[in-house]
Amino acid sequence: MIINPTSGAAPTIPTTKQSSFSMVLIISAVAALAGLLFGYDTGVISGAILFIKPQFQLSPTLEEIVVGAALIGAVIGAFGSGRLADHFGRRRLILVTAGIFVVASLCSALATSVSVLVAGRILIGVAIGVASFVAPLYISEIAPPERRGALVALNQLAITAGILLSYIVDTVLASSENWQMMIGIGVVPAVILGIGIYFLPESPRWLLAHKSRGEAEGALRQIRGQRSNATSINTELDSMEHAMSEAGNKKEGGWKELLSLRWVRPLLICGFGLAIFQQVTGINTVIYYAPTIFKFAGFQSAMGSILATAGVGVVNMLMTVVSILVLDRLGRRPLLMGGLIGMIISLFALGFGFYIGGEAMKWIGVCSLAVYIGSFAISLGPIFWLLIAEIYPLQVRGLAMSAATMVCWIANLAVSITFLTLIEALGRANTFWFYGALSVAALIFSYFYVPETKGISLEAIEEHCRARKPLRELGR
Ligand code: BGC
């Protein structure tokens, strides 16, 4: 199919009926191991710190530094690597990130001094920061449009699995006090990720922009399966080429393009806004401090807290599966709105439970936290990562995604270090009502700024935005 690069719409991409879905699934699952490492390495420290603290006789400040080091590293990693993804390619960056995970996990697990431990944890954070955006970016670029939601959300499923796995490993190893093993186990998925990604193809979109059509075609054929027909492969490549010619065939852009292009601004507002709201609505107060919250709610025994915490992990994972099953059918917007409404109701209920206190609080606490986690897991959890992998133009996709990711990690850090102070200053009820009020703001923001991208190719999304049509009209 011949496309006139200067006129006409992008060709329509054929659906996966003609393509091999299992290959796409395997590639996405391997890339999603980066999500597993993100979840595992952020979660594992809550259990490990209990034993690190006495071994190194940590002061409260040093304890906070050890716990927060990975978050600081993640901000640095996300900040520094966007252009690398655009310049060197998505696959190569994942490969290097897997290597950093291995080195950093070994360095932290074998640390005999606090400074080496902190350096190791910062390095793990750097890898988490890079992995958190480059894996969804890679998956979104190899996925067929009508399954892209589910495939990118696999990464979020892997994050939740990693968090749950870290809770389990921490609990199992608690009796031996073996914090080295808790952290060191992270090496295993990192090695598998490295080996797996080594054998996978580079993103055809990146190859087309940076190498040749022939190389892009080879990769696409590998992804869509050898039996896929030549016409569908060519149509897909034509569509990508068309979008590139609209962008003036420029391979990649820098901060200047990102900040000066007026049509990209609504996309930046959307991505940065969702990044902030994903965090300031309080998810990691529950993920990182679940045992503390359950203690506040009246579960005094350690076993009760551990079981309740494991429950949080399981609900998080199961509801992410639900999200994966319906994302490409219901669409992003209805799920996002519905989930946010669930988060608002449960946060206000939790605050109310703390307000009235007493025995009833225990059960209000458990039920509202379950609804809260479930609502996050079907909405803001996967949908933030999915949308930032979909809405930015190819030229600056890596850079823009990494910027949104950095905003997300800064907001994460801010919420994590202020949570206990907020509880002291405002009290328990007001703190959760505060997160509830921020969730109301997130709902209003999403209503006005978040587009529907269900079933639309990345090139068609880019074309819509480049034509300066309102973002909200996308998908209507
Ligand atoms: C968020 C993390 C959070 C996790 C919980 C992710 O999407 O970015 O901050 O801990 O979801 O499942």
Side-chain angles (χ1 to χ4, degrees), residues 1 3 204 207-220 230-231 233-242:
M1 178 175 193
I3 297 284
L207 285 172
L208 198 58
H210 290 77
K211 303 283 174 182
S212 63
R213 180 159 171 136
E215 283 184 63
E217 190 181 333
L220 198 57
T231 319
I233 298 268
N234 274 326
T235 312
E236 206 168 338
L237 289 168
D238 286 341
S239 161
M240 293 176 202
E241 234 167 27
H242 176 77

Side-chain angles (χ1 to χ4, degrees), residues 201-440:
E202 178 53 271
S203 148
R205 287 176 167 85
W206 185 87
L207 285 172
L208 198 58
H210 290 77
K211 303 283 174 182
S212 63
R213 180 159 171 136
E215 283 184 63
E217 190 181 333
L220 198 57
R221 202 169 290 285
Q222 203 179 337
I223 294 164
R224 300 280 178 262
Q226 290 305 332
R227 279 182 300 152
S228 56
N229 72 45
T231 319
S232 68
I233 298 268
N234 274 326
T235 312
E236 206 168 338
L237 289 168
D238 286 341
S239 161
M240 293 176 202
E241 234 167 27
H242 176 77
M244 268 168 229
S245 66
E246 295 275 298
N249 283 323
K250 201 158 177 264
K251 285 184 185 172
E252 63 194 79
W255 285 103
K256 210 173 123 223
E257 275 87 358
L258 193 60
L259 300 174
S260 64
L261 288 176
R262 286 196 58 174
W263 63 273
V264 177
R265 264 178 226 165
L267 307 177
L268 289 179
I269 295 175
C270 173
F272 288 11
L274 282 178
I276 294 170
F277 283 122
Q278 198 208 38
Q279 295 299 322
V280 299
T281 45
I283 183 62
N284 286 316
T285 64
V286 183
I287 299 289
Y288 302 161
Y289 294 98
T292 313
I293 299 179
F294 283 114
K295 258 194 201 126
F296 289 162
F299 289 88
Q300 292 306 336
S301 78
M303 205 51 200
S305 284
I306 289 172
L307 282 181
T309 307
V312 164
V314 171
V315 173
N316 195 11
M317 235 188 114
L318 289 182
M319 291 307 282
T320 307
V321 174
V322 172
S323 184
I324 288 179
L325 294 176
V326 294
L327 249 175
D328 288 314
R329 256 178 281 159
L330 291 182
R332 289 54 163 156
R333 271 176 67 89
L335 267 185
L336 184 59
M337 304 292 175
L340 277 166
I341 292 171
M343 287 168 70
I344 293 168
I345 295 172
S346 50
L347 282 168
F348 278 101
L350 185 62
F352 180 70
F354 280 122
Y355 182 72
I356 57 170
E359 191 57 19
M361 173 55 217
K362 260 189 173 178
W363 302 111
I364 296 180
V366 169
C367 296
S368 47
L369 277 179
V371 174
Y372 171 75
I373 288 288
S375 305
F376 173 88
I378 57 161
S379 62
L380 260 182
I383 291 174
F384 160 64
W385 296 109
L386 171 60
L387 278 169
I388 64 166
E390 297 183 319
I391 58 176
Y392 296 115
L394 178 65
Q395 242 185 332
V396 285
R397 194 170 289 147
L399 186 62
M401 264 191 95
S402 77
T405 302
M406 181 187 70
V407 172
C408 179
W409 284 108
I410 293 174
N412 183 336
L413 187 64
V415 172
S416 308
I417 59 180
T418 52
F419 173 58
L420 295 178
T421 318
L422 268 189
I423 293 269
E424 290 244 312
L426 302 179
R428 293 165 192 176
N430 285 331
T431 301
F432 287 102
W433 283 336
F434 176 59
Y435 295 132
L438 289 170
S439 304
V440 174

Side-chain angles (χ1 to χ4, degrees), residues 35-45 121 128 158-159 161-167 169-170 173 181-187 189:
L36 187 96
L37 284 156
F38 163 176
Y40 185 82
D41 282 319
T42 45
V44 76
I45 196 69
R121 286 293 297 171
I128 295 174
I159 297 174
I163 294 173
L164 184 60
L165 189 67
S166 74
Y167 290 164
V169 170
D170 283 357
L173 293 177
M181 180 76 104
M182 293 175 188
I183 294 179
I185 283 179
V187 169

